[in-house]
Amino acid sequence: MAKYSQRGSVAVISVDNPPVNALSSHVRKAISDGIVRAGSDAGISSIVLCGAGGKFLAGADIREFGNMASFDGPNLVELCNRIEACEKPVIAAIERYALGGGLEVALSSHYRIAHQNAIFGFPEVDLGILPAASGTQRFPRLVGLKAALHYIPTGERFPTTKAKEIGLVDKIVDKDVLEVAIKFANDVKNDPVISRRSSRLNVKDASNAQKYYEAAVEKAARKNSGLLAPTLAMKAVMASTVGTFEQGLEAEAKYRNVLFSSGQAQALQYAFFAERAASQWSLPDGSNFRTVKPKPIKSVGIIGGGTMGTGIAMNALNAGLNVLLIEQDQQFLKKAVDQLKKLYQGSILLGKLSKGDVEKRLSRLQSAVSYDSLKNVDLVIEAVYENLKLKQDVFAKLDQICKPDAVLCTNTSALSVDKIASATRNPERVVGTHFFVPAYYMKLLENIRGLKTSPVAIATATSLGHLLGKVPVLVRNCDGFVGNRMMKPYHTEALFLVEEGCKPEEVDQVAEDFGFPIGVFKVADLSGLDIGLSRLKESTKSFNVNFDEKTRYLTGARVSMLPLVLFNRSRLGRKTGAGWYNYEHPGTKVPYPSDAVKDLIEEYRKQNGIPQRKISTQEIIERLLFGLINEGFKILEEGIAQKPEEIDTIILLGYSWPRQTGGPMFYANSLGLDKVYSRILEYGKQNVLSPHWKPSSLLEKFVSEKTPFSQWRSQPPSTVSRL
């Protein structure tokens, strides 16, 4: 709702629609009624539009998208026009944020006053749409074409200082915005509003339109490859430079309609809601995110100062936590602290943090080589090398030293949380927290519950994720958990495709054309071929098996030893200047196809009697994706994850699956589950020794029963361990 009140001759319309003051249909109606009421009241000379709870307006109510009830008069375009057409000055008093439709309302107001800490932006492109309530036409008229072509297609948020610099905000305040706005409203009550109407302004830098447009297109091609919304948003913005405002609105509406009916918009909006649903965990005993209170976290101990440990430390310091970093000796500790300082220096150089900001963060950092220093921390994150015995040794020490209610977290990417927890007397307080590199940037935190992990430990790990600005997703313990388990068939099939006739660069190109930012073999070079092989060695220890370049099967399943062939010839990836690709120098980023690798692959085929054949693009993409999708259904079947939103969120945020497809489970539904199932059956017939092609029973059930996506849920957990 929107409350109407009067302060002298100033009408105050305050939107109160928690939690974010979204512009739902009833809110739009109340604002519109308030504008009409104030406009017809002779005792009112000006109007202030604000939001309750210290927030302005967060934009449209996404839940109303596609619902005709959302257009129960007026729609957002009509509301913006009504605000601008008011003959009395309308002042937008902006606190906290003005985003999307909220910013469009502010653009339609005659003046904008903002708190110094407010944030502005058009996040619509993240949802596969564009600012469709005159934002693409008003914004460039107020701030210029160059700024509009930057902020609208990218969805980038910007602070009040930038808003003032580009001409969006008229006044910045550091105190009560409403009181300042009311005083300002009294000051301008007699000023004519015609010159303040953004629709009547000309785009001041339209003479450089083509230059700015080409630069924006180039940027979008680099950062938003495959996304439709940024492209059409740019075209809508360009319409502001030709013709009238009304003609620009027609162009905006045309592109809006294209986007609203596109599969990308549906997928991106699903992904938006999936992230929120994925963090809402529950357990078979009824414990859930609402009923279990997490332990407070003020101090965090981090074991290990390598790439992961320093990244987690930076993430925790940025979140305002006190951090104690532990390494095995002073030499390693100094290296870790120096690396952390180097990361912060990069933030200063990029303008993301000031020197004072960094000093404040680092003041909360302590470092030590003794585990005894951890006796009072609230939570410990172990981030040592991925070796089960090493991690068990660490947890045995933590169990003896840490206070009884401290939560103990293991940053493992695949090892059994239960086996790690078995080294402690109280496995209830042990939980997996799988971070992703770089930990200070990646949004996903894959939390893993063991058989004995307590609800409080789970709630605390979830709270940690939120504190760190991540999306925490809870899954059950199994080999590889959700993310790495699902990505294994993707990497495996990429290798088999190369064995059978593809070039590495061909497979990468198909993956990148689908929307992955970087292909599988480029990723391998980035990570290092030694990393993948060390994981293979660790995973085969329990089976007491060895492998070499001639190995074709492990534990009854087909494998490829091509990575070992390259490793044995010192082709480890970027760090050695040679991997699946050649690089100009060790450490450089630009890959070049390698004749040496081509020869090694041909020799490998000859030695193993693998015939070479031409493989179609369709087969490449199906084999890369469908085995992965099949594994997703097995994960649901076993109760490792409870719903497809958890799986999709993990693969989207942790493994850069193209967001415009919604994630692997949503994508499978979009393709048609019967089609996906039939292709899995076919590949299963062709590859009987590849277990990832054995169809999931749950997938088969969903196909036969035509189960709608909304009912895809986990089955009762399997009693058979997969570890």
Side-chain angles (χ1 to χ4, degrees), residues 40 42 75 91 105 242 247 344 399 430 487 539 563 626 670 702-703:
S40 60
N75 62 39
I91 297 90
V105 166
V242 294
Q247 289 171 326
Y344 273 121
D399 188 51
V430 178
M487 295 305 291
S539 67
F626 287 5
S670 301
F702 285 167
V703 171

Side-chain angles (χ1 to χ4, degrees), residues 138-199:
R138 295 185 190 276
F139 194 57
R141 284 175 163 82
L142 265 176
V143 306
L145 185 64
K146 184 177 182 180
L149 282 172
H150 174 74
Y151 288 111
I152 290 179
T154 64
E156 181 182 323
R157 279 51 157 187
F158 54 98
T160 301
T161 49
K162 174 59 73 171
K164 182 73 165 65
E165 177 187 321
I166 63 178
L168 174 61
V169 166
D170 298 292
K171 187 179 181 68
I172 300 177
V173 299
D174 60 359
K175 47 190 175 183
D176 193 323
V177 177
L178 178 58
E179 292 303 318
V180 174
I182 290 172
K183 182 180 183 303
F184 187 90
N186 280 312
D187 292 341
V188 300
K189 63 183 180 182
N190 296 319
D191 294 353
V193 298
I194 189 167
S195 63
R196 304 293 307 183
R197 289 172 175 155
S198 54
S199 68

Side-chain angles (χ1 to χ4, degrees), residues 28 175 189 295 316 588 684:
R28 298 194 301 272
K175 47 190 175 183
K189 63 183 180 182
K295 291 185 177 296
T588 56

Side-chain angles (χ1 to χ4, degrees), residues 13-45:
I13 302 172
S14 177
V15 173
D16 188 7
N17 187 27
V20 295
N21 288 339
L23 285 160
S24 307
S25 58
H26 66 283
V27 172
R28 298 194 301 272
K29 185 176 187 306
I31 295 173
S32 179
D33 290 347
I35 294 291
V36 172
R37 176 180 172 182
S40 60
D41 188 340
I44 296 296
S45 58

Side-chain angles (χ1 to χ4, degrees), residues 466-619:
H466 290 309
L467 281 171
L468 299 180
K470 298 186 183 299
V471 179
V473 184
L474 180 68
V475 302
R476 274 182 59 222
N477 189 34
C478 74
D479 185 17
F481 318 131
V482 169
N484 283 338
R485 176 175 165 182
M486 285 184 68
M487 295 305 291
K488 185 178 178 181
Y490 173 77
H491 293 113
T492 298
E493 282 300 319
L495 290 169
F496 292 166
L497 286 164
V498 169
E499 282 189 356
E500 295 168 25
C502 291
K503 298 175 182 176
E505 56 268 26
E506 289 175 339
V507 176
D508 278 354
Q509 189 61 57
V510 172
E512 290 167 15
D513 288 345
F514 177 71
F516 282 99
I518 181 172
V520 59
F521 293 104
K522 291 175 185 173
V523 170
D525 277 359
L526 175 61
S527 302
L529 273 68
D530 52 324
I531 301 299
L533 285 169
S534 67
R535 289 174 181 164
L536 178 61
K537 289 177 182 177
E538 186 68 28
S539 67
T540 56
K541 277 184 180 178
S542 59
F543 300 109
N544 196 29
V545 295
N546 296 313
F547 55 85
D548 56 30
E549 290 185 13
K550 296 180 180 179
T551 301
R552 297 285 290 138
Y553 303 95
L554 282 174
T555 63
R558 176 187 171 188
V559 294
S560 173
M561 286 296 129
L562 276 172
L564 183 61
V565 170
L566 271 62
F567 173 84
N568 287 342
R569 288 150 185 82
S570 300
R571 300 187 69 95
L572 274 61
R574 286 187 188 181
K575 56 190 171 187
T576 59
W580 290 101
Y581 293 87
N582 289 339
Y583 300 86
E584 189 171 352
H585 303 291
T588 56
K589 298 179 179 180
V590 180
Y592 300 95
S594 170
D595 288 337
V597 169
K598 179 183 176 183
D599 292 341
L600 288 171
I601 293 170
E602 289 180 355
E603 182 62 27
Y604 181 85
R605 289 175 186 143
K606 290 177 183 177
Q607 289 179 350
N608 290 284
I610 303 172
Q612 183 176 356
R613 64 185 179 88
K614 179 68 176 176
I615 302 176
S616 69
T617 298
Q618 180 179 344
E619 180 179 344

Side-chain angles (χ1 to χ4, degrees), residues 203-335:
V203 180
K204 55 190 175 185
D205 53 356
S207 59
N208 292 316
Q210 193 59 33
K211 171 185 171 183
Y212 294 149
Y213 178 69
E214 290 173 359
V217 168
E218 182 181 352
K219 180 187 294 184
R222 291 197 311 269
K223 294 190 174 183
N224 301 304
S225 178
L227 290 174
L228 185 59
T231 299
L232 296 189
M234 286 185 283
K235 291 184 177 181
V237 169
M238 287 297 289
S240 69
T241 65
V242 294
T244 65
F245 176 77
E246 289 71 25
Q247 289 171 326
L249 286 182
E250 290 177 4
E252 180 184 85
K254 178 180 72 173
Y255 297 128
R256 175 199 66 201
N257 292 339
V258 172
L259 289 171
F260 262 88
S261 62
S262 73
Q264 284 195 9
Q266 296 168 23
L268 289 164
Q269 288 160 34
Y270 160 79
F272 175 86
F273 285 112
E275 283 187 18
R276 283 140 187 83
S279 293
Q280 298 176 356
W281 60 272
S282 63
L283 301 180
D285 66 1
S287 304
N288 61 63
F289 71 101
R290 289 192 179 94
T291 62
V292 182
K293 185 178 180 180
K295 291 185 177 296
I297 307 170
K298 294 183 179 179
S299 57
V300 174
I302 298 173
I303 313 294
T307 300
M308 184 62 82
T310 53
I312 296 171
M314 185 180 192
N315 197 182
L317 291 169
N318 290 345
L321 297 172
N322 296 314
V323 173
L324 176 58
L325 183 61
I326 303 292
E327 255 297 355
Q328 58 184 301
D329 58 36
Q330 289 294 339
Q331 181 181 352
F332 279 98
L333 187 61
K334 182 181 184 303
K335 183 178 179 181

